[in-house]
Amino acid sequence: MGTETLSFGSTGDAQTVSFPSSIFGCGVYNNFTFHTSDKVTGLVGLGGGPLSLVSQLGPQIGYKFSYCLLPFSSNSTSKLKFGSEAIVTTNGVVSTPLIIKPLFPSFYFLNLEAVTIGQKVVPTGRTDGNIIIDSGTVLTYLEQTFYNNFVASLQEALSVESAQDLPFPFKFCFPYRDMTIPVIAFQFTGASVALQPKNLLIKLQDRNMLCLAVVPSSLSGISIFGNVAQFDFQVVYD
């Protein structure tokens, strides 16, 4: 580990804002291979732990940050904002409580009550902060039983059968064809988030196949809301 002055460009002009004596570490395994390029050289820590970037900058940024992640196919760059610039006040904003668990101080937990597929409600049966929202995890991971119920309901709504010989890491794929995708919304406490097909389905061009960007979690009772599900949303942590 070491310390360095970190500098960021500010909004609207060429000035920079610098933060001296910022702690950083060296990565050992920086081989990111899922839809990334050789431009990826490390990770920015946005978690709640004491050594994360946002925790170190906390007093200066009011412990507020936001990002808008763009799809892998976009030619533009995603945006990361700190402090007052991060707050969104436009119409349509929804919010849900962040739940911090002492055993996992780096993670931001949310409470996912259900997922709706059209008019069908698939409840989680949990109220204790059952899903982590994570900008660094690509896919969305759902607890096994809930995942099974979600996929069964989705198959029924789409009238499709899962393909065989699925490419890793996907667990549910089907042949691509024009179809009507029902509105699929994640029902967090106090916040309904309707996802677009690009947030849920990844097209594999070489196999003419759509794969669900949601897979079962291998961690008991832990689900993760990944970054594909967050594409084109301004996500604010206040």
Side-chain angles (χ1 to χ4, degrees):
M1 300 183 71
T3 59
E4 185 58 273
T5 296
L6 301 182
S7 299
F8 301 89
S10 59
T11 301
D13 56 40
Q15 295 180 348
T16 60
V17 179
S18 296
F19 300 92
S21 302
S22 298
I23 301 170
F24 72 97
C26 292
V28 176
Y29 179 68
N30 293 326
N31 182 24
F32 304 97
T33 57
F34 192 91
H35 285 291
T36 60
S37 70
D38 56 7
K39 295 179 181 179
V40 179
T41 56
L43 294 171
V44 173
L46 300 176
L51 290 182
S52 76
L53 180 65
V54 293
S55 292
Q56 291 187 66
L57 303 185
Q60 295 100 315
I61 63 174
Y63 295 93
K64 300 178 179 71
F65 70 95
S66 70
Y67 53 73
C68 181
L69 304 176
L70 300 185
F72 298 124
S73 59
S74 175
N75 293 321
S76 299
T77 56
S78 299
K79 301 295 188 294
L80 175 63
K81 298 181 179 182
F82 298 102
S84 59
E85 291 287 335
I87 302 305
V88 179
T89 57
T90 54
N91 292 334
V93 174
V94 296
S95 63
T96 188
L98 290 174
I99 300 170
I100 306 300
K101 299 188 178 184
L103 290 178
F104 307 100
S106 292
F107 298 129
Y108 301 106
F109 288 85
L110 309 177
N111 196 66
L112 179 65
E113 297 179 352
V115 173
T116 53
I117 303 171
Q119 300 300 313
K120 185 175 179 61
V121 179
V122 185
T124 63
R126 300 283 296 276
T127 59
D128 55 350
N130 57 335
I131 190 166
I132 297 166
I133 181 169
D134 185 18
S135 59
T137 298
V138 177
L139 303 179
T140 289
Y141 292 78
L142 297 180
E143 185 272 325
Q144 183 75 63
T145 300
F146 180 63
Y147 170 84
N148 293 342
N149 294 337
F150 169 66
V151 169
S153 297
L154 185 60
Q155 280 187 272
E156 182 181 359
L158 298 178
S159 298
V160 295
E161 294 294 330
S162 181
Q164 303 299 313
D165 189 26
L166 301 181
F168 180 83
F170 302 109
K171 300 298 183 183
F172 175 57
C173 302
F174 54 91
Y176 173 76
R177 60 179 171 82
D178 289 333
M179 63 176 64
T180 300
I181 306 293
V183 176
I184 299 173
F186 276 56
Q187 306 294 339
F188 300 100
T189 298
S192 177
V193 179
L195 302 183
Q196 300 296 316
K198 64 186 173 188
N199 299 116
L200 290 165
L201 298 169
I202 295 176
K203 186 176 182 181
L204 303 184
Q205 298 285 1
D206 58 332
R207 301 182 63 167
N208 196 37
M209 184 181 292
L210 289 175
C211 289
L212 183 66
V214 181
V215 295
S217 173
S218 61
L219 300 174
S220 178
I222 297 294
S223 298
I224 302 174
F225 194 63
N227 62 36
V228 171
Q230 300 175 58
F231 283 166
D232 281 338
F233 285 98
Q234 184 80 11
V235 184
V236 182
Y237 295 72
D238 179 348

